[in-house]
Amino acid sequence: MGRPTLAVVGATGTVGTVMCELLSSRKDVWGEIRLVASARSTGRLVSVRGEELEVQALTPEVFDGVDVAMFDVPEPVAAEWAPVAATRGTVVVDNSGAFRTDRDVPLVVPEINAEQVRNRPRNIIANASCTTLTMVVMLAPLHREYGLRELVLASYQAVSGAGQAGVDILHDQISKVAGDRALGTRSGNVRQSVGDDLGPFPAPMALNVVPWAGSLQDLGWSSEELKVRGETRKILGLPDLKVSATCVRVPVITGHSIAVHAVFASELDAEGARQVLRNAPSVILVDDPASGEFPMPIDAVGTDPAWVGRIRRAMDDPRALDLFVTGDNLRKGAALNTVQIAELLAKELTPKPSSSR
């Protein structure tokens, strides 16, 4: 038995494309790689590891002989096809929200709970949402040091979180508003200039921020806000953690940011927190306001870590921190975390040279 076989399902999508790039740039742990996508992409050639691979159709047979499959497809597609792959002996790492809340599906962030990859009764492992992933790699080391009790956060989410349609609509709207300096000075004139085509958003994105991401849930919360709450609790193993989130869409192409107010069990100070974060994996500290150095999406885009800064002890609570974090929602927020989980599985599935079992 050689190196494990990998399938990338949804290989031609926004995140799938980044997955393929990461497979080419990271240490090569895979044998055969199969690219799988919907019928309209079948037959396309995509370069992975310097090799042109033909995209195959999504069928049950495509998973025969596949050890690990990374899924980046819409939730209904994942809900239907991940169990199909799993019954054929493939371990599925799913980037959609289809399985995240299931009790018997682990929600894995390798820097935090890598051991959970072995706990997969259904042969499915879930990847967290991009907003949660940006924040949780920074929260986990602080939680270990100080004991996290409560989170209040506001997200500033990039349009690429809504896929290529989100990116396209923002560019289109920027083109429409670029020449008119009166726009944004009078109610209604931005809406008029942008027109009726809002793409995946409920309001114009150009020259605006929209305090909404996801779908409407009970009591006025959005699905994104509830995701951040549920996923953070599950990943950190804190089922009773108090979490209150407001998710906001901003006119940024790629890079989700979050303003976080975190309350801990013990007193702390900003310098102690900076020290913890300096030593944390997948975190980069960018915290020098005097020099204008802050974590910002235009700098974090295309990079792997969570960028953290603006670290302050709360004025009214010696146990609370205020900080700002940003990260590439297509990399660590989606493709990279999926690839990292798959690599943990590859290590487990690759036979040891001197195995005595």
Side-chain angles (χ1 to χ4, degrees), residues 11-48:
T12 54
T14 317
V15 172
T17 305
V18 180
M19 286 177 181
C20 292
E21 287 169 12
L22 289 167
L23 289 172
S24 303
S25 63
R26 292 173 69 80
K27 187 181 173 203
D28 187 6
V29 298
W30 302 104
E32 182 194 347
I33 292 179
R34 292 181 202 170
L35 305 185
V36 183
S38 62
R40 67 176 179 275
S41 299
T42 306
R44 266 176 61 180
L45 291 176
V46 176
S47 179
V48 181

Side-chain angles (χ1 to χ4, degrees), residues 99-110:
F99 304 99
R100 286 177 192 146
T101 56
D102 293 14
R103 290 186 97 103
D104 50 1
V105 174
L107 188 60
V108 175
V109 181

Side-chain angles (χ1 to χ4, degrees), residues 96-135:
S96 83
F99 304 99
R100 286 177 192 146
T101 56
D102 293 14
R103 290 186 97 103
D104 50 1
V105 174
L107 188 60
V108 175
V109 181
E111 294 87 345
I112 300 170
N113 60 350
E115 72 289 346
Q116 286 293 319
V117 294
R118 293 176 180 274
N119 170 29
R120 45 173 199 270
R122 291 170 60 188
N123 251 7
I124 299 171
I125 297 169
N127 195 33
S129 66
C130 39
T131 314
T132 305
L133 279 166
T134 299
M135 177 179 70

Side-chain angles (χ1 to χ4, degrees), residues 150-154 221 225 228-229 241-246 261:
E150 193 173 334
L151 282 176
V152 181
L153 56 105
W221 295 95
E225 291 157 355
V228 173
R229 175 181 167 86
L241 181 69
K242 293 179 180 177
V243 184
S244 192
T246 302
H261 176 81

